[in-house]
Amino acid sequence: MSRSFKSHLSDDIATVTMGNRIAAIIEQGAVIYLHGDLGAGKTTFTRGIVQGFGHTGKVKSPTYTLVEPYELERANVYHFDLYRLGDPEELEYMGIRDYFSAQAICVVEWPEKGGEFIPVPDLNITLSYVGDERNIVINSASERGSVIIEKLNNLTSE
């Protein structure tokens, strides 16, 4: 059963906080696709997820390296940015399948550039600008994604 969640994010702090909430809910692994225009807040949202899993340093976009790994106590988080990917087949050469274990958290910016070399997501998240603020829409694409959204809806309705 597909579920969805929508919210308004007033600024970068609210965007990071929403990433923190998602991190707090995920119990074991997830594949998260991030959609949105350049500058829509995908990396800011990812910062919230990575910090939510315990990272205290900077979180930068892996635009040139394609992946930034964060090996943390609670989980391994891999932040992918496929914006500059020339050909999806390049992902096979870098061993992308090794990152997508059942326990890892994989956050993928620009997933449409990955083709069939990246797995189906648990969550599809779209960030969009509304003036100086953002909207976020989260849709489940798997049973695990539906559970995450159900918990998120319960958390925000309390």
Side-chain angles (χ1 to χ4, degrees), residues 2 10 15 21 49 53 71 77 80 104 107-108 116 147 152 155:
S2 181
S10 58
T15 305
R21 284 190 185 137
I49 292 175
F53 278 98
E71 295 181 1
V77 182
F80 297 89
V107 182
V108 185
E116 73 273 3
V147 169
L152 182 62
L155 185 68

Side-chain angles (χ1 to χ4, degrees), residues 7-16 39-42 44-45 127-136:
S7 186
H8 179 76
L9 305 171
S10 58
D11 55 21
D12 282 357
I13 293 168
T15 305
V16 170
K42 297 180 295 294
T44 302
F45 179 79
L127 290 150
S128 58
Y129 265 112
V130 179
D132 291 338
E133 301 178 341
R134 296 181 179 111
N135 282 336
I136 186 168

